[in-house]
Each structure stands twice: as C-alpha cells, then as structure tokens.
C-alpha cells in the first residue's frame, strides 16, 4: 500500500539534516529556480499582491524572499511543528547567515525586493496549519516548492494537493511552483524515510491543464552538488488559476 500524507509524522521532519543537505550553501539548482521565479515576479508590480501563500512552507526561506517583491503579506502555511518552530526563529531573530547569499542572488535578479532580508521576511506570517484546510480563493498568489510530490506516494493524493494549491488563489490568481522530477521515496539524514510520488513535465502539464490558464512548464537537470535522492532534476511551473467551473 502506498504511504499517504496522513500516515507520516510531519512534526518530526529532520530540519537540521534537511538544511545541512540542501540549503547551507546556494546550489546551482536553487540558483536556477530563483532565476526562473525572479523572471515571473518581475512581471508583477511591486506590492501589487495583498496576500500570497507559501503552500507547505517547510524550512526553506528563499520562496518567501522571492514573494516579498510583489506581496504585501505572505502566509507561510506549514503543518509540521519542527518546521514552524524553525520559521518562527528566523522571523523573530536575525535570519541565519547562510541565507544571505540566497537573498543577494534574489535581489540581484529583482531589485524590487526590499533592501534587506530582514525587511523581506517582515512581510511573512507563519501559519501552523494543514494546507488542505485553506479555503479556496483566499489569496492573489500561491507558491509551492517540493510539496505535493514529497508528501505522498499516491498519485491521486498528489493530484488533490495540486488542485488545492491551484484553488487557493482567486480565479486569475498567480501560481508559481517547483517539483522534484521523478522523486522516489527518499531519505533525509542517516535514518529518516519520507514518501515520494514520481512526476515529470508531462504529468505536471496533465494535472494542471484543467486547473489553469497561461500554463508554462519547464525543467532543469539534476544537481550533482546535492545528495542523490533518486530524482532526475526539477520541474518548474507558472500559471494563473482558472475558474472552478473550468476544471
């Protein structure tokens, strides 16, 4: 039987191991994601989005940085207690120095961002909540990074997470996302095991076509500077949400 989202103890997500493996330095794949997303955000007027959401924020700060160019408020919605505690520490104290190169890269690509990382993160509100409980149409923009394909082994549940992501914004609201390509069940740190649902650009296009308009899907290759989780790269998406009657 596939592992479903509710089968997993997300409160025990290994934050320290995850950050050590992925985010203590700016890897080429994340620099490429930031470049892709910055081009998307540059199309939006500064402060033009009243409220945006990071759909399953985890402990990754760079999506929150990017959203600060266009968003006056960013809800970082996260179910796992360890991730919530980490995010709150980053907001309540000075962010860890390892995030500063990420912000420098973000701001070099989009000068509309606030002048400092602290000012960008001052727009963020951490919301300790399951993303599935979000009401439809609550935001003008939604961002999601490595969530839907990394919280379940069941394709139907993956598809439902994507649907809820697309429906979290008003019709015509903006969507930007990144997915691990062909990610199997994977390990973080020496022992912990987590679900994965392998997807690729064709799958992402098939899932989001009935939910969106102006859908653009691309990919980047696997990054040899990262641990080998079994993935083959990343799939990147931008779109606007269609009305519910469209899908």
């Amino acid at each position: 039987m596939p592992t479903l989202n509710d089968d997993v103890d997300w409160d025990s997500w290994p934050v320290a191991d995850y950050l050590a493996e992925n985010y203590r330095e700016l890897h080429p794949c994340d620099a490429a994601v930031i470049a892709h997303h910055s081009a998307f955000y540059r199309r939006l007027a500064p402060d033009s989005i009243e409220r945006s959401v990071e759909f399953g924020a985890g402990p990754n700060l760079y999506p929150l940085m990017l959203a600060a160019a266009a968003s006056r408020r960013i809800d970082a919605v996260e179910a796992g207690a360890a991730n919530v505690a980490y995010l709150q520490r980053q907001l309540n104290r000075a962010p860890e120095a390892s995030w500063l190169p990420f912000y420098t890269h973000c701001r070099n690509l989009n000068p509309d961002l606030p002048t400092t990382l602290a000012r960008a993160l001052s727009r963020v509100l951490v919301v300790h909540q399951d993303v599935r409980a979000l009401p439809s149409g609550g935001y003008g923009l939604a961002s999601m990074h490595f969530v839907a394909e990394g919280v379940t082994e069941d394709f139907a549940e993956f598809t439902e997470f994507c649907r809820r992501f697309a429906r979290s914004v008003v019709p015509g609201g903006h969507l930007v996302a990144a997915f691990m390509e062909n990610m199997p069940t994977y390990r973080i740190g020496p022992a912990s095991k987590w679900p994965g649902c392998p997807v690729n650009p064709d799958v992402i296009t098939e899932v989001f076509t009935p939910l969106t308009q102006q859908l653009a899907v691309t990919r980047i290759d696997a990054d040899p500077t990262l641990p080998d989780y079994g993935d083959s790269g990343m799939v990147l998406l931008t779109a606007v949400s269609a009305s519910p009657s469209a899908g």
Side-chain angles (χ1 to χ4, degrees), residues 96-196:
E96 292 176 335
S98 55
W99 290 112
L100 294 177
F102 289 80
Y103 195 66
T104 297
H105 187 51
C106 291
R107 196 158 186 271
N108 284 342
L109 292 169
N110 191 352
D112 290 332
L113 282 165
T115 55
T116 67
L117 175 54
R119 288 180 179 175
L121 295 181
S122 71
R123 304 183 178 204
V124 177
L125 175 69
V126 180
V127 180
H128 191 180
Q129 180 178 306
D130 190 318
V131 291
R132 293 172 294 182
L134 287 172
S136 297
Y139 296 95
L141 182 150
S143 170
M144 179 172 69
H145 292 76
F146 321 121
V147 173
E149 78 286 13
V151 299
T152 182
E153 295 176 359
D154 182 73
F155 182 73
E157 190 170 43
F158 162 80
T159 301
E160 177 61 14
F161 269 93
C162 292
R163 188 190 70 81
R164 289 179 181 270
F165 167 65
R167 294 288 178 254
S168 68
V169 298
V170 297
H174 302 281
L175 301 171
V176 59
F179 305 83
M180 300 303 295
E181 183 183 63
N182 294 315
M183 172 75 94
T185 297
Y186 58 100
R187 293 188 181 276
I188 300 290
S192 67
K193 187 176 180 181
W194 304 91

Side-chain angles (χ1 to χ4, degrees), residues 31 33 50 58 100 120 138 149 200 204 216 240:
V33 174
E50 181 181 358
L100 294 177
E149 78 286 13
N200 58 43
I204 298 299
V240 298

